[in-house]
Amino acid sequence: MANYISLYSGSSGNCSVIEDNGKFILIDVGKSARITTNAIKDIGLDLKNLQGVLISHEHSDHISGLKVFLKKLNVPVYSSAATLDYLADNDLVPTHIQLEDMTFAGHNIGEFFVKGFETPHDSIACMGFDIHTKKGTRMTMATDLGFVTDDILYHFCGTDLAVLESNYDEMMLRENENYPYYLKTRIASNRGHLSNSQFSNAAVKIIGSGVKKLHLCHLSNNNNTPSTALSQLAITAMTNGIDVAKDLAVVKANRRHEITEPTQF
């Protein structure tokens, strides 16, 4: 079985590992090379078995450690053409690294076959990823999106593991006196982030399609807590006849500075 592990998740940095038989890929490198490398070692993986790096988009909490991390490696970086152009034009990736356009048709990346799909976010471009194993299992991940389109929902329905953003609690954001109006508006816009309510409404549909394993990712440090997000999910699910504790095999909220236990898919 393949494993999904969040190394760190949130506005201070995002990085996930997808591993099968010791071979693995990364999604984003949003903290320093040292932190990322140490986290990879902590979960018992060897960097020589890294098959590729997927980049969702160009915001710093997804790429800030990328250039230094790849300095002594020789693995491809996969993303949208627009994101790759931005990385190259702004010297954010070593010149020796091969840049691969993650077309919607997909790529074979080591042990995995990966398809990208568009997510609405205020970046040059932004992608979620469908990741298939050779055994026929699949996980789907989207970390930054202002709303869930029908196409995004299509990619999540029926997957073996869903990893989806639950960024902010609407009341906490509204009452946060440290956030100016323009920032609140940006976060809550259709090109910002998913609220707990938006996530939970989408999760009900995803669970209804047969998904049994669910991770909440990219939780805000200032406008959310894991318990708040999970409580909203439980309430919304119960309203729709779903008991999260009984009907899901796995439900986790990824943490900012904590490595999650592996979730098999």
Side-chain angles (χ1 to χ4, degrees), residues 127-170:
M127 302 190 88
F129 301 103
D130 252 338
I131 301 170
H132 302 250
T133 71
K134 293 180 179 178
K135 298 181 181 70
T137 59
R138 175 169 69 99
M139 69 160 284
T140 307
M141 182 171 184
T143 66
D144 291 65
L145 57 162
F147 68 104
V148 178
T149 66
D150 289 342
D151 181 63
I152 292 169
L153 194 61
Y154 167 81
H155 283 279
F156 274 95
C157 285
T159 193
D160 294 288
L161 167 63
V163 183
L164 182 62
E165 174 180 73
S166 191
N167 181 256
Y168 67 96
D169 175 77
E170 291 168 337

Side-chain angles (χ1 to χ4, degrees), residues 105-130:
H107 279 274
N108 287 303
I109 306 176
E111 301 295 302
F112 307 94
F113 179 73
V114 183
K115 291 183 178 181
F117 56 90
E118 186 177 3
T119 60
H121 192 52
D122 59 350
S123 54
I124 293 171
C126 194
M127 302 190 88
F129 301 103
D130 252 338

Side-chain angles (χ1 to χ4, degrees), residues 42-240:
D42 286 345
I43 62 175
L45 294 178
D46 192 326
L47 278 174
K48 71 180 181 183
N49 291 322
L50 176 61
Q51 310 290 289
V53 178
L54 312 179
I55 297 297
S56 59
H57 64 294
E58 83 284 0
H59 287 168
S60 62
D61 56 324
H62 296 262
I63 65 159
S64 65
L66 183 65
K67 183 175 180 179
V68 176
F69 177 76
L70 292 175
K71 187 175 181 180
K72 296 181 180 179
L73 299 176
N74 189 21
V75 296
V77 169
Y78 299 83
S79 192
S80 67
T83 298
L84 295 175
D85 287 344
Y86 180 90
L87 295 178
D89 292 346
N90 290 276
D91 192 29
L92 294 169
V93 65
T95 56
H96 72 275
I97 292 296
Q98 183 178 349
L99 304 180
E100 293 284 352
D101 182 3
M102 176 53 75
T103 65
F104 300 136
H107 279 274
N108 287 303
I109 306 176
E111 301 295 302
F112 307 94
F113 179 73
V114 183
K115 291 183 178 181
F117 56 90
E118 186 177 3
T119 60
H121 192 52
D122 59 350
S123 54
I124 293 171
C126 194
M127 302 190 88
F129 301 103
D130 252 338
I131 301 170
H132 302 250
T133 71
K134 293 180 179 178
K135 298 181 181 70
T137 59
R138 175 169 69 99
M139 69 160 284
T140 307
M141 182 171 184
T143 66
D144 291 65
L145 57 162
F147 68 104
V148 178
T149 66
D150 289 342
D151 181 63
I152 292 169
L153 194 61
Y154 167 81
H155 283 279
F156 274 95
C157 285
T159 193
D160 294 288
L161 167 63
V163 183
L164 182 62
E165 174 180 73
S166 191
N167 181 256
Y168 67 96
D169 175 77
E170 291 168 337
M171 183 177 293
M172 290 178 69
L173 177 64
R174 186 166 55 248
E175 296 180 352
N176 190 333
E177 297 179 354
N178 295 318
Y179 274 45
Y181 177 76
Y182 80 87
L183 182 55
K184 294 181 181 182
T185 301
R186 177 249 168 187
I187 292 169
S189 75
N190 280 348
R191 290 177 59 79
H193 292 278
L194 285 189
S195 69
N196 291 342
S197 295
Q198 289 173 303
F199 162 82
S200 297
N201 289 331
V204 164
K205 297 176 182 178
I206 293 168
I207 296 166
S209 74
V211 173
K212 299 295 185 183
K213 297 180 180 182
L214 182 65
H215 277 243
L216 291 64
C217 68
H218 212 301
L219 276 67
S220 170
N221 188 51
N222 300 311
N223 302 302
N224 209 357
T225 67
S227 61
T228 300
L230 291 169
S231 293
Q232 179 65 66
L233 172 62
I235 291 168
T236 303
M238 189 63 70
T239 302
N240 288 271

